[in-house]
């Protein structure tokens, strides 16, 4: 029977079709949940990764499809927040205000009110934002929200310029810092300290003696005092910081701020290029003066380039130990450096003839043998001599000649002299006869037996003036008193020039033959150190560094801001006989030499000093 049944089953199977496979069916693709949960979660993922512009349209899509879904309220909150974060704070404010009219639980309502306050802040409506947030603080807030609310109130106070109020609010935010945003807190603290004035810092330090937030205030006060050169005051604040907050990060940072007793002076010189040799003399004088002085010289090469000079000023201005700058030498560099130094509030004493340089600003001084100083002292001397009242000018047609001619005329009028005639010659000419003939014609001397003027001013170099003097020797102007500038100072190698210039009078800022003991002390020290005789440039470099050392040795605090008034108050120093102080216009008043040549030898004119 079983065998018959089995055969029957086998015969019937083909009619019934194939047997089903024993392997499981493939899973059907998942169907999106009717609630839109997957869409909301995708938006949340972008939100957590701060991909706000990708998250925002997903939240909006969710709200379009499921306006009353389980995540509708959260999506509306996210939409309000992200509108602001993507730049539409007005739209953000409207969304938050709409949310406030919907049924919310307590925590959600608090977050919405914070969002409204934040939107007002971002829109610059600080007062409205502060009112919303202040009302919020009157409730019992969760710690993270309490931190954010107080921190945002501190932000508003800073925007309104109320530093003390910002500090008080930041102190309250610090109480909830473990639950808050530390990066935001540290940034707020940094900006508050930087925004506060010195007076505000001092008042907060006195009022909140024991608050940990006072430590950065004390450090800032020490930094400011150090930057302005008030080393004693800087040390006082550092000591207070260490006493009150010995374990603070600020106290550790303050260790590197301990004020140095050695100031620095920036020296801007053309150490390379056309004026390198002149610069070398100035540098040597400076280094000689700095030996043993409580200051450090920081040399910077301008290379005769105004842009280099300005960059050097900007770099040195960042160094709080740099009290002042000396230099540059050339006019273009001096102008650029003066403008940069004035902008930086860094005193600069220019070693340049550039006219009217101190007019750049109150931090700019000038200490050099200027054209006006030369003609002023030359005329003071000659007008004090008997028989010299009438003058003539014979000058090269050059910038130098025109400048000295104009200043000579101005000073002559100011001091009561008379200009009888004035003539120019080509700057490159070696034939001066036409110019001399014109000068004689202008003065009326051609038909007269005596000179129409007693002194002739020739602002040119020694070879040119010597050539003119040689042509005058056989004329009716042979006995006229010749006058020149410091350029006529003959070199030691040119004896012929010296003979031709016999009797000429000219001013200079330095004379190695001066028997003054202080002058000879300088000359001896310079020769011993450098093996050569110093010139005016070396003496002026020496002089200005000595002046700075005198200031540093004087009692009382010293800073960049105080230095101009201290310079103006300086008087004469016996050991620096050239220096007479600074005039109210911040020009150095030099005691110039009036020099002459007698028997081929350079010497001081009688009673010139």
């Amino acid at each position: 029977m079983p065998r018959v049944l089995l055969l029957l089953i086998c015969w019937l199977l083909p009619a019934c079709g194939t047997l089903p496979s024993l392997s499981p069916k493939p899973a059907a693709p998942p169907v999106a949940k009717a609630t839109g949960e997957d869409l909301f979660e995708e938006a949340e993922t972008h939100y957590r990764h701060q991909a706000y512009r990708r998250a925002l349209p997903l939240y909006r899509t969710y709200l379009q499809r499921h306006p009353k879904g389980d995540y509708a309220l959260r999506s509306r909150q996210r939409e309000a927040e992200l509108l602001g974060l993507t730049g539409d704070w007005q739209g953000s404010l409207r969304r938050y205000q709409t949310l406030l009219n919907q049924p919310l639980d307590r925590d959600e309502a608090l977050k919405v009110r914070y969002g409204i306050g934040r939107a007002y802040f971002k829109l610059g409506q600080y007062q409205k934002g502060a009112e919303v947030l202040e009302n919020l603080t009157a409730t019992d807030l969760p710690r993270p929200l309490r931190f954010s609310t107080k921190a945002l109130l501190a932000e508003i106070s800073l925007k309104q310029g109320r530093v003390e109020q910002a500090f008080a609010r930041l102190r309250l935010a610090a109480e909830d810092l473990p639950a808050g945003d530390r990066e935001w807190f540290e940034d707020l603290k940094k900006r508050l300290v930087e925004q506060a004035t010195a007076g505000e810092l001092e008042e907060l330090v006195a009022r909140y003696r024991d608050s940990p937030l006072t430590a950065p205030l004390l450090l800032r006060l020490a930094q400011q005092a150090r930057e302005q050169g008030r080393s004693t005051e800087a040390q006082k604040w550092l000591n207070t910081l260490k006493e009150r907050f010995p374990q603070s990060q600020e106290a550790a940072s303050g260790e590197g701020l301990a004020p140095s007793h050695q100031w620095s002076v920036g020296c801007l010189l053309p150490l390379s290029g056309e004026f390198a040799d002149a610069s070398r003399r100035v540098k040597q004088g400076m280094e000689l003066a700095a030996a043993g002085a409580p200051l450090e010289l920081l040399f910077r090469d301008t290379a005769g380039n105004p842009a280099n000079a300005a960059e050097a000023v900007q770099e040195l201005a960042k160094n709080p130990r740099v009290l002042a700058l000396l230099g540059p030498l050339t006019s273009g560099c001096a102008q650029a450096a003066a403008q940069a130094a004035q902008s930086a509030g860094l005193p600069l004493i220019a070693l340049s003839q550039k006219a009217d340089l101190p007019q750049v600003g109150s931090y700019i001084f000038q200490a050099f043998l200027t054209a006006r100083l030369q003609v002023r002292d030359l005329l003071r001397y000659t007008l004090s001599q008997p028989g010299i009242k009438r003058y003539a000018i014979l000058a090269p047609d050059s910038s130098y000649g025109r400048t000295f001619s104009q200043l000579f005329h101005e000073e002559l009028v100011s001091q009561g002299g008379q200009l009888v005639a004035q003539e120019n010659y080509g700057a490159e000419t070696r034939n001066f006869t036409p110019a001399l003939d014109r000068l004689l014609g202008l003065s009326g001397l051609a038909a007269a037996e005596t000179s129409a003027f007693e002194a002739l001013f020739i602002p040119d170099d020694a070879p040119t003036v010597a050539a003119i003097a040689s042509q005058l020797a056989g004329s009716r102007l042979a006995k006229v008193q010749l006058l020149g500038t410091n350029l006529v100072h003959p070199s030691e190698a040119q004896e012929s020039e010296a003979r031709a210039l016999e009797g000429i009078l000219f001013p200079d800022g330095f004379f190695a033959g001066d028997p003054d003991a202080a002058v000879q002390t300088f000359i001896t020290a310079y020769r011993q150190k450098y093996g050569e005789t110093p010139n005016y440039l070396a003496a002026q470099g020496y002089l200005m560094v000595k002046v700075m050392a005198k200031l540093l040795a004087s009692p009382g605090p010293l800073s960049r801001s105080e230095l101009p008034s201290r310079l103006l108050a300086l008087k004469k120093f016996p050991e620096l006989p050239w220096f007479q102080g600074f005039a109210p216009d911040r020009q150095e008043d030099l005691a110039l030499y009036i020099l002459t040549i007698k028997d081929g030898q350079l010497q001081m004119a009688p009673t010139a000093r």
Side-chain angles (χ1 to χ4, degrees):
M1 182 66 180
R3 181 177 178 83
V4 174
L5 180 60
L6 180 60
L7 290 171
L8 179 62
I9 291 172
C10 291
W11 179 76
L12 290 172
L13 277 175
C16 296
T18 59
L19 287 172
S21 172
L22 296 179
S23 60
K25 292 183 179 180
V31 179
K33 299 178 182 178
T35 59
E37 181 178 351
D38 287 353
L39 182 60
F40 178 78
E41 285 300 329
E42 184 182 357
E44 286 286 280
T45 299
H46 288 309
Y47 175 85
R48 285 190 293 269
H49 287 85
Q50 298 182 355
Y52 301 136
R53 295 189 183 279
R54 298 181 68 180
L56 181 57
L58 293 174
Y59 287 121
R60 286 176 165 170
T61 301
Y62 175 86
L63 289 170
Q64 289 171 357
R65 295 177 183 176
H66 312 283
K68 295 184 179 181
D70 293 341
Y71 305 102
L73 179 58
R74 179 65 63 83
S75 294
R76 289 189 176 92
Q77 290 176 326
R78 292 285 197 239
E79 182 187 24
E81 180 184 2
L82 294 184
L83 279 171
L85 292 176
T86 55
D88 183 9
W89 286 103
Q90 191 65 56
S92 175
L93 178 61
R94 287 195 296 267
R95 293 293 192 282
Y96 276 125
Q97 289 171 332
T98 301
L99 276 169
L100 205 56
N101 296 324
Q102 296 190 10
L104 302 170
D105 63 30
R106 180 180 178 280
D107 286 349
E108 298 297 340
L110 294 175
K111 292 177 183 178
V112 168
R113 287 167 63 190
Y114 173 81
I116 290 173
R118 186 185 186 195
Y120 276 131
F121 165 72
K122 291 292 187 177
L123 289 168
Q125 299 181 43
Y126 303 132
Q127 192 57 41
K128 284 186 177 181
E131 290 172 1
V132 171
L133 296 169
E134 287 287 7
N135 289 333
L136 197 57
T137 60
T139 61
D140 185 17
L141 299 174
R143 288 193 76 187
L145 185 57
R146 190 163 63 219
F147 168 84
S148 297
T149 301
K150 292 174 180 177
L152 189 51
L153 281 167
E155 287 274 17
I156 290 173
S157 296
L158 281 181
K159 288 292 186 181
Q160 293 175 322
R162 299 173 180 173
V163 172
E164 293 183 28
Q165 185 184 68
F167 184 85
R169 287 171 165 174
L170 195 59
R171 283 182 68 244
L172 295 174
E175 297 173 359
D176 297 301
L177 182 56
D181 185 339
R182 178 168 290 277
E183 185 177 349
W184 183 15
F185 179 83
E186 292 297 327
D187 180 63
L188 263 173
K189 182 172 66 174
K190 179 176 180 290
R191 286 187 284 120
L192 185 151
V193 170
E194 292 176 348
Q195 184 173 326
T197 64
E200 288 169 334
L201 289 171
E202 291 186 29
E203 187 169 340
L204 288 170
V205 163
R207 182 178 301 175
Y208 301 98
R209 293 182 54 83
D210 301 321
S211 169
L213 276 178
T214 302
L217 305 183
L218 287 165
L219 181 61
R220 178 61 175 164
L221 283 167
Q223 289 170 333
Q224 287 182 340
R226 172 74 185 277
E227 289 167 1
Q228 296 169 9
R230 303 193 303 272
S231 57
T232 303
E233 185 179 341
Q235 189 61 62
K236 179 192 76 172
W237 292 122
L238 287 175
N239 291 341
T240 303
L241 173 60
K242 293 174 186 177
E243 290 169 6
R244 294 193 197 175
F245 310 98
Q247 304 304 318
S248 67
Q249 180 181 349
E250 288 78 12
S253 300
E255 293 291 343
L257 276 179
S260 169
H261 294 293
Q262 188 179 56
W263 279 103
S264 297
V265 174
C267 304
L268 311 175
L269 298 173
L271 299 173
S272 61
E274 180 183 359
F275 301 99
D277 187 61
S279 176
R280 175 183 63 82
R281 299 292 190 99
V282 179
K283 183 173 183 286
Q284 290 177 171
M286 288 177 167
E287 290 173 333
L288 182 64
L295 58 82
E296 176 187 18
L297 302 181
L298 302 177
F299 289 96
R300 296 294 183 272
D301 183 12
T302 66
N305 186 322
N308 290 354
E311 288 175 8
V313 171
Q314 293 162 1
E315 178 237 323
L316 290 167
K318 295 176 183 177
N319 185 343
R321 291 177 57 197
V322 174
L323 178 64
L325 303 175
L326 300 179
L329 298 183
T330 60
S331 295
C333 287
Q335 183 71 31
Q339 290 170 343
Q342 180 65 30
S343 298
L346 179 58
L348 178 143
I349 304 175
L351 305 179
S352 169
Q353 285 188 327
K354 171 72 175 174
D356 302 321
L357 202 56
Q359 292 183 11
V360 169
S362 60
Y363 281 89
I364 309 305
F365 288 69
Q366 189 166 21
F368 210 74
L369 184 60
T370 63
R372 187 172 291 279
L373 275 176
Q374 290 192 55
V375 296
R376 183 199 68 183
D377 281 22
L378 181 61
L379 285 171
R380 281 179 181 174
Y381 179 84
T382 57
L383 284 168
S384 69
Q385 304 301 306
I388 300 181
K389 296 297 178 186
R390 296 170 298 175
Y391 294 76
I393 298 173
L394 181 62
D397 189 10
S398 65
S399 176
Y400 186 87
R402 289 189 293 271
T403 296
F404 269 92
S405 296
Q406 179 180 342
L407 291 174
F408 190 90
H409 191 189
E410 291 174 2
E411 281 293 330
L412 190 59
V413 171
S414 175
Q415 296 189 37
Q418 180 184 0
L419 183 64
V420 174
Q422 179 174 348
E423 187 54 59
N424 296 104
Y425 54 86
E428 303 299 326
T429 187
R430 303 310 298 167
N431 179 14
F432 305 101
T433 300
L436 288 170
D437 288 343
R438 292 194 299 272
L439 187 66
L440 293 171
L442 289 171
S443 66
L445 187 61
E449 295 182 358
T450 59
S451 174
F453 49 87
E454 295 87 28
L456 176 61
F457 178 55
I458 310 174
D460 213 326
D461 59 21
T464 302
V465 179
I468 294 173
S470 298
Q471 293 188 30
L472 290 175
S475 74
R476 282 170 291 170
L477 293 177
K479 294 184 178 181
V480 168
Q481 175 65 61
L482 294 185
L483 309 176
T485 70
N486 69 320
L487 281 187
V488 84
H489 195 137
S491 64
E492 295 179 1
Q494 296 296 326
E495 293 183 8
S496 59
E497 288 179 6
R499 287 194 299 271
L501 294 171
E502 182 80 14
I504 194 170
L505 294 170
F506 64 93
D508 212 337
F510 177 74
F511 178 48
D514 185 352
D516 185 282
V519 175
Q520 289 305 312
T521 296
F522 160 65
I523 292 171
T524 299
Y526 190 94
R527 283 174 173 162
Q528 288 176 346
K529 187 171 180 65
Y530 302 111
E532 61 185 7
T533 300
N535 61 4
Y536 169 72
L537 292 172
Q540 195 63 5
Y542 176 87
L543 171 60
M544 281 300 102
V545 171
K546 281 291 187 183
V547 166
M548 294 303 302
K550 284 281 185 184
L551 281 174
L552 292 174
S554 61
L558 194 57
S559 67
R560 291 178 180 181
S561 60
E562 295 163 340
L563 187 60
S565 60
R566 296 284 292 275
L567 284 170
L568 288 170
L570 287 176
K571 304 301 180 185
K572 301 178 183 178
F573 302 114
E575 64 272 36
L576 301 172
W578 315 284
F579 183 70
Q580 302 293 298
F582 284 99
D585 63 358
R586 300 183 301 285
Q587 292 272 4
E588 181 191 21
D589 189 5
L590 281 169
L592 299 188
Y593 297 88
I594 301 300
L595 301 176
T596 190
I597 297 174
K598 185 176 181 181
D599 298 327
Q601 299 297 313
L602 186 65
Q603 58 185 257
M604 291 189 293
T607 69
R609 296 294 303 275

